[in-house]
Structure formats: C-alpha cells, structure tokens
Amino acid sequence: GQLVGYPILDLREWQRDVGAYVRALEESIILTLADYGIEAGRIPKLTGVWVGERKIAAIGVHLSRWVTSHGFALNVATDLSYFQYIVPCGLTKPVTSMSALGVRASWEEVGRRLAPHFARNFECELTAEVPALAALESEN
C-alpha cells in the first residue's frame, strides 16, 4: 500500500545540499497530494510530509560521495493497523494514508502523478527501470 521511491541521483550535478535534497523530495510529494485534493505540508524540524499532525510520507536518505540512495515511502492505501506495533521514524505522532483520507488510487497511479513533479523539482529527465520480477510476470 505504499509508494516507495529510491532515487539515485548525483547531487554534484544538482546541488551539494542534503537539506535541499530532502526538501525537494518532500515538495514532490506535497505537489502530488495536492493533485488529489490533499493539503499536505511540513512540520518544522521534522522530516517527512504531513497532513495536519499525521505523517503521510516518510523520508530516509543515504548519500555516498554525493550519490543518493534510499528515499521515501508515501502511504497510499497502507494498512495503518501495523503502525500500532512500531514507532515509525522514532516519532509517536499518528500516521495516515491517502485512502484513509478518502482518496482511492493505486500506488502505480500515484507514481505516475509524482514523476513529473519529481522531474521538475530535480531538473532531470526520468527513465523507468522494470524490476526483474515484473518483467518475468509480464512474460507469463
């Protein structure tokens, strides 16, 4: 139920600024949620995307020599009951999802909406890589 994105970017080609990278990821998600009528934003000093006091997207990044890995998880149609067993990102704040807010969309559809926002924010052209499992499934 989550849309998970692990962008691989060389920030030397964009900006050598981890904070700017995280803010641009957040902005891509905020703009995507706005496409669905969801007013989302940031909470000062906390990473992620929020709807009120509820976290709808988590962000966790890693950089090595200015190349990014890891990324974000946007709760699209996530079963939120699992969050009662964990403390996501070390925060005791509640979580939400697009479906809990009344939006019915697949993570594939949301990904297609997010892609142009991401490309614009990072001034890049996106290419799609098909995971091996998806390629095998399409052969059958």
Side-chain angles (χ1 to χ4, degrees):
Q2 289 183 319
L3 173 63
V4 177
Y6 278 16
I8 301 171
L9 299 171
D10 186 340
L11 295 187
R12 293 173 297 190
E13 304 296 321
W14 182 67
Q15 292 182 41
R16 287 184 186 225
D17 185 331
V18 178
Y21 172 64
V22 171
R23 299 294 89 76
L25 284 176
E26 290 171 340
E27 186 65 17
S28 299
I29 296 166
I30 290 167
L31 292 170
T32 302
L33 292 169
D35 288 347
Y36 290 94
I38 297 172
E39 188 176 334
R42 298 176 182 89
I43 294 179
K45 299 184 182 179
L46 297 178
T47 302
V49 178
W50 304 80
V51 177
E53 290 288 316
R54 295 181 173 275
K55 193 170 207 176
I56 194 165
I59 295 177
V61 301
H62 174 78
L63 281 80
S64 177
R65 298 183 185 136
W66 292 104
V67 175
T68 65
S69 60
H70 304 302
F72 65 88
L74 170 59
N75 293 331
V76 176
T78 310
D79 181 349
L80 300 176
S81 68
Y82 292 108
F83 287 96
Q84 67 185 321
Y85 302 110
I86 64 171
V87 180
C89 303
L91 300 173
T92 57
K93 293 187 174 290
V95 295
T96 193
S97 68
M98 294 174 68
S99 63
L101 297 170
V103 174
R104 301 292 176 244
S106 68
W107 60 264
E108 296 96 342
E109 175 191 334
V110 177
R112 285 191 295 273
R113 290 269 186 117
L114 188 139
H117 295 302
F118 181 95
R120 193 169 33 261
N121 282 333
F122 288 100
E123 303 162 353
C124 67
E125 183 178 326
L126 300 179
T127 59
E129 294 293 327
V130 178
L133 181 59
L136 288 174
E137 289 174 351
S138 68
E139 290 176 5
N140 296 330

